Amino acid sequence: MKATKRHKNRKGAFICFCVLCAFLWLSLAHAQNSYQAALTIRLDQPGAVINRNIYGHFAEHLGRLVYEGLWVGEDSPIPNTRGLRNDVVVALKELHVPVLRWPGGCFADEYHWRDGIGPRDKRPRRPNASWGGVDTNAFGTHEFLDLCEMLGADAYINGNVGSGSPQEMMEWIEYMTSDAGTDLANLRRKNGRDKPWKIPYFAVGNETWGCGGNMRPEFYADVYRQYATFIKNHSDNKIQKLAVGGYDENYNWTEVLMSQAAKYMDGLSLHYYTLPTGNWQKKGSATEFGENEWHATLVRTLRMDEYIRKHSAIMDKYDPQKRVGLLVDEWGTWYDSDPGRDMGALYQQNTLRDALVAGINLNIFNKHADRVRMANIAQMVNVLQAMVLTAKEKMLLTPTYHVFRMYRVHQGATMIPVELNAPEYKLNEASAPSLHASASRDSAGRLHLSVVNLDPNRSSDITVTIAGGAIRSVTGEVLTASAMNAMNTFEASNAVKVAPFSGYKLSGSRLTLNVPSKSVVVLELK
Ligand code: AHR
């Protein structure tokens, strides 16, 4: 009996020893595959309201964006409502799209609005001189504004400066917004729309330093002043007038526009695209990349913060009250076109890397909510960093789509500053923070925290402190995948998907998070 008992004790001790070893081994493995960080949410220092338009979109007549991506026509076998495809509209509605920019882009400066009204079979077919192919003009003013109404989005229209005139611009605005008994308002009625539309945002051209006319800033400042004079408010429509701003480090453009035309504008744009290489001749692949390209892309996208800070500082000199908004109305990744595809179409796949780019940029815009009043990712469907990709009747949601869906909670909330203490993520002598975050508090008092872990190899153990508040509950979602270049395809459309986030511990006032490597997490703290 005694021998059996001793044997049992030994066996028990051995099991305990094994469990302890396993525990130590797991702890060591975890320590090697994770890094420590501290994050403070400054609830005691609320900032500006995050304009919901920061979550805006952009749809240009380019590639398969408008035709196929949005518009299939009333006779299409693809289910549609008045010609707009139902699957895409349903998906986009989930994003709470606040504002939609149209018709370009470069295309805006060659677009003549009269081509796109009236019976569709009578509309002229025109070359799309910017991006190739023929535009049937089946999608024009009425179809665009119908789409905005379906999505519940405000319309942002880019007028034609490059090949148009102040008169053409002025008449387009009257056609859309006048409730009077004028010929143009009556023409709109004859074309099927009785009530005028609201057009809250109208821009004088696009990239007038490039495809919109290759102008010098001094020249455009005068052109802007002239055109802006003829942007009139009809009935009770109130238009915010927007001027073309600079790109990247083109600070002189901002300086000239602000010094010479600030008082005539409500907003000034900024364009910045993220290229893995920074080289427009060889931008890099959308899907075939390793950690070098992953890191380089994230380092480059983080430059958005510097550009916003520096352009804002110039705006502050001329507009210290921050009346004029900075509108990042084109941003996102731009890769080499997929091999075998039409170069002009700018179709590209979208991976987990794009999801992180989206999360980082949206965090940056949230942070600068005092000056950044709108941002429009380029572009909505089938072009550049798209939300949705289509292949005829098929449709898929990209990783970027999921980030926009997760981040929609920040729309209209108050920006809450966050302080981060995390190691740098270094590679090839370049450095990026390994964590990136933003927070906001909505009108119901809920706190929203979004965290991006840039490190593709290590999860992050984060100790969260809430300065000036306390929480009792945490819920959240996480977007990640096993590979950096994981993507959704028409064959496997759910490879990158959102999952509930369970990597938190809340005991009393102590909150700790374990955020997976290469992930985007959005939490609601109450
Ligand atoms: O988004 C694609 C193009 O990029 C736009 O037409 C133009 O404004 C920019 O150069």
Side-chain angles (χ1 to χ4, degrees), residues 58 60 62 105-107 131 206-207 211 271 273 330 334 346 378-379 384:
F58 172 32
E60 178 167 10
L62 199 178
C106 296
F107 182 80
W131 304 109
N206 167 71
E207 296 196 350
C211 62
H271 289 182
Y273 284 100
E330 286 187 30
W334 194 325
L346 305 188
Q379 299 196 11
L384 299 177

Short mmCIF file of all heavy atoms in Angstrom, two decimals, residues 58 60 62 105-107 131 206-207 211 271 273 330 334 346 378-379 384, ligand 1:
data_model
loop_
_atom_site.label_atom_id
_atom_site.label_comp_id
_atom_site.label_asym_id
_atom_site.label_seq_id
_atom_site.Cartn_x
_atom_site.Cartn_y
_atom_site.Cartn_z
N PHE A 58 -14.20 58.49 -52.57
CA PHE A 58 -13.91 59.15 -53.84
C PHE A 58 -14.25 58.17 -54.97
O PHE A 58 -13.84 57.00 -54.93
CB PHE A 58 -12.41 59.51 -53.82
CG PHE A 58 -11.84 60.03 -55.10
CD1 PHE A 58 -12.58 60.77 -56.01
CD2 PHE A 58 -10.49 59.81 -55.40
CE1 PHE A 58 -12.02 61.26 -57.18
CE2 PHE A 58 -9.92 60.30 -56.56
CZ PHE A 58 -10.69 61.02 -57.45
N GLU A 60 -14.18 58.12 -59.13
CA GLU A 60 -13.82 58.80 -60.39
C GLU A 60 -14.23 57.91 -61.57
O GLU A 60 -14.28 56.68 -61.45
CB GLU A 60 -12.30 59.03 -60.40
CG GLU A 60 -11.79 59.68 -61.68
CD GLU A 60 -10.36 60.18 -61.57
OE1 GLU A 60 -9.68 59.87 -60.57
OE2 GLU A 60 -9.94 60.91 -62.48
N LEU A 62 -13.02 56.01 -63.89
CA LEU A 62 -11.67 55.45 -64.05
C LEU A 62 -11.79 53.93 -63.96
O LEU A 62 -12.40 53.41 -63.02
CB LEU A 62 -10.81 55.98 -62.89
CG LEU A 62 -9.29 55.98 -62.94
CD1 LEU A 62 -8.70 56.61 -61.70
CD2 LEU A 62 -8.67 54.66 -63.25
N GLY A 105 -10.67 63.86 -59.27
CA GLY A 105 -9.67 63.27 -60.11
C GLY A 105 -9.44 64.06 -61.42
O GLY A 105 -10.07 65.07 -61.74
N CYS A 106 -8.43 63.56 -62.11
CA CYS A 106 -8.05 64.16 -63.40
C CYS A 106 -9.27 64.23 -64.33
O CYS A 106 -9.39 65.17 -65.14
CB CYS A 106 -6.95 63.34 -64.05
SG CYS A 106 -5.41 63.35 -63.10
N PHE A 107 -10.16 63.25 -64.24
CA PHE A 107 -11.31 63.22 -65.13
C PHE A 107 -12.18 64.46 -64.97
O PHE A 107 -12.82 64.90 -65.94
CB PHE A 107 -12.14 61.95 -64.85
CG PHE A 107 -13.33 61.79 -65.73
CD1 PHE A 107 -13.19 61.28 -67.03
CD2 PHE A 107 -14.59 62.15 -65.31
CE1 PHE A 107 -14.30 61.15 -67.87
CE2 PHE A 107 -15.70 62.02 -66.13
CZ PHE A 107 -15.55 61.52 -67.42
N TRP A 131 -7.91 58.39 -68.61
CA TRP A 131 -7.68 57.00 -68.19
C TRP A 131 -7.95 55.97 -69.28
O TRP A 131 -7.83 54.78 -69.03
CB TRP A 131 -8.55 56.69 -66.96
CG TRP A 131 -8.26 57.66 -65.85
CD1 TRP A 131 -9.07 58.65 -65.40
CD2 TRP A 131 -7.05 57.76 -65.09
NE1 TRP A 131 -8.45 59.36 -64.40
CE2 TRP A 131 -7.21 58.83 -64.19
CE3 TRP A 131 -5.84 57.05 -65.08
CZ2 TRP A 131 -6.20 59.22 -63.29
CZ3 TRP A 131 -4.84 57.43 -64.19
CH2 TRP A 131 -5.03 58.50 -63.31
N ASN A 206 -9.18 70.18 -60.00
CA ASN A 206 -8.46 69.10 -59.30
C ASN A 206 -7.01 69.13 -59.75
O ASN A 206 -6.72 69.29 -60.94
CB ASN A 206 -9.07 67.74 -59.67
CG ASN A 206 -8.18 66.58 -59.24
OD1 ASN A 206 -8.05 66.29 -58.06
ND2 ASN A 206 -7.52 65.94 -60.21
N GLU A 207 -6.10 68.99 -58.83
CA GLU A 207 -4.67 68.92 -59.15
C GLU A 207 -4.33 69.91 -60.26
O GLU A 207 -3.75 69.54 -61.30
CB GLU A 207 -4.24 67.49 -59.50
CG GLU A 207 -4.39 66.55 -58.31
CD GLU A 207 -3.65 65.22 -58.43
OE1 GLU A 207 -3.13 64.88 -59.51
OE2 GLU A 207 -3.58 64.50 -57.41
N CYS A 211 -2.49 67.41 -63.74
CA CYS A 211 -3.44 67.06 -64.80
C CYS A 211 -4.56 68.09 -64.96
O CYS A 211 -5.20 68.16 -66.00
CB CYS A 211 -4.03 65.68 -64.56
SG CYS A 211 -4.97 65.53 -63.02
N HIS A 271 -3.12 66.12 -51.33
CA HIS A 271 -3.07 64.75 -51.85
C HIS A 271 -1.77 64.09 -51.43
O HIS A 271 -0.70 64.68 -51.57
CB HIS A 271 -3.14 64.75 -53.40
CG HIS A 271 -4.49 65.13 -53.93
ND1 HIS A 271 -4.80 65.15 -55.27
CD2 HIS A 271 -5.63 65.48 -53.28
CE1 HIS A 271 -6.07 65.51 -55.42
NE2 HIS A 271 -6.59 65.72 -54.23
N TYR A 273 -0.23 59.96 -51.71
CA TYR A 273 -0.36 58.53 -51.94
C TYR A 273 0.83 57.79 -51.32
O TYR A 273 1.96 58.29 -51.35
CB TYR A 273 -0.42 58.22 -53.44
CG TYR A 273 -1.76 58.56 -54.05
CD1 TYR A 273 -1.96 59.74 -54.76
CD2 TYR A 273 -2.84 57.70 -53.90
CE1 TYR A 273 -3.21 60.05 -55.30
CE2 TYR A 273 -4.09 57.99 -54.45
CZ TYR A 273 -4.27 59.17 -55.14
OH TYR A 273 -5.50 59.46 -55.68
N GLU A 330 -7.51 62.99 -51.50
CA GLU A 330 -7.01 61.78 -52.16
C GLU A 330 -5.90 61.21 -51.30
O GLU A 330 -4.91 61.91 -51.03
CB GLU A 330 -6.49 62.07 -53.57
CG GLU A 330 -7.59 62.32 -54.57
CD GLU A 330 -7.09 62.45 -56.01
OE1 GLU A 330 -6.08 61.82 -56.37
OE2 GLU A 330 -7.75 63.20 -56.76
N TRP A 334 -0.83 53.08 -53.61
CA TRP A 334 -0.81 53.03 -55.07
C TRP A 334 0.33 52.10 -55.46
O TRP A 334 1.50 52.41 -55.23
CB TRP A 334 -0.60 54.45 -55.64
CG TRP A 334 -0.88 54.59 -57.11
CD1 TRP A 334 -0.66 53.67 -58.09
CD2 TRP A 334 -1.44 55.75 -57.77
NE1 TRP A 334 -1.05 54.17 -59.31
CE2 TRP A 334 -1.53 55.46 -59.15
CE3 TRP A 334 -1.86 57.00 -57.34
CZ2 TRP A 334 -2.00 56.37 -60.10
CZ3 TRP A 334 -2.35 57.91 -58.28
CH2 TRP A 334 -2.42 57.59 -59.65
N LEU A 346 -5.96 51.14 -63.05
CA LEU A 346 -5.53 51.27 -61.65
C LEU A 346 -6.22 50.28 -60.72
O LEU A 346 -6.53 50.61 -59.57
CB LEU A 346 -5.72 52.71 -61.14
CG LEU A 346 -5.07 53.83 -61.94
CD1 LEU A 346 -5.20 55.16 -61.19
CD2 LEU A 346 -3.61 53.55 -62.24
N ALA A 378 -8.79 57.01 -51.91
CA ALA A 378 -8.83 56.75 -53.35
C ALA A 378 -8.61 55.24 -53.57
O ALA A 378 -7.56 54.74 -53.22
CB ALA A 378 -7.73 57.55 -54.04
N GLN A 379 -9.63 54.61 -54.14
CA GLN A 379 -10.97 55.06 -54.44
C GLN A 379 -11.96 53.99 -54.01
O GLN A 379 -11.56 52.91 -53.60
CB GLN A 379 -11.08 55.37 -55.92
CG GLN A 379 -10.13 56.47 -56.38
CD GLN A 379 -10.50 57.04 -57.75
OE1 GLN A 379 -11.54 56.78 -58.31
NE2 GLN A 379 -9.57 57.82 -58.32
N LEU A 384 -7.33 51.53 -57.08
CA LEU A 384 -6.39 51.82 -55.98
C LEU A 384 -6.85 51.13 -54.69
O LEU A 384 -7.23 49.96 -54.72
CB LEU A 384 -6.17 53.33 -55.85
CG LEU A 384 -5.57 53.99 -57.12
CD1 LEU A 384 -5.45 55.50 -56.95
CD2 LEU A 384 -4.22 53.39 -57.48
O1 AHR B 1 -6.78 58.74 -57.98
C1 AHR B 1 -6.17 58.66 -59.24
C2 AHR B 1 -5.62 60.01 -59.70
O2 AHR B 1 -4.62 60.42 -58.83
C3 AHR B 1 -6.59 61.15 -59.71
O3 AHR B 1 -7.34 61.20 -60.87
C4 AHR B 1 -5.69 62.35 -59.63
O4 AHR B 1 -6.29 63.45 -59.01
C5 AHR B 1 -4.49 61.84 -58.87
O5 AHR B 1 -3.31 62.16 -59.48
#
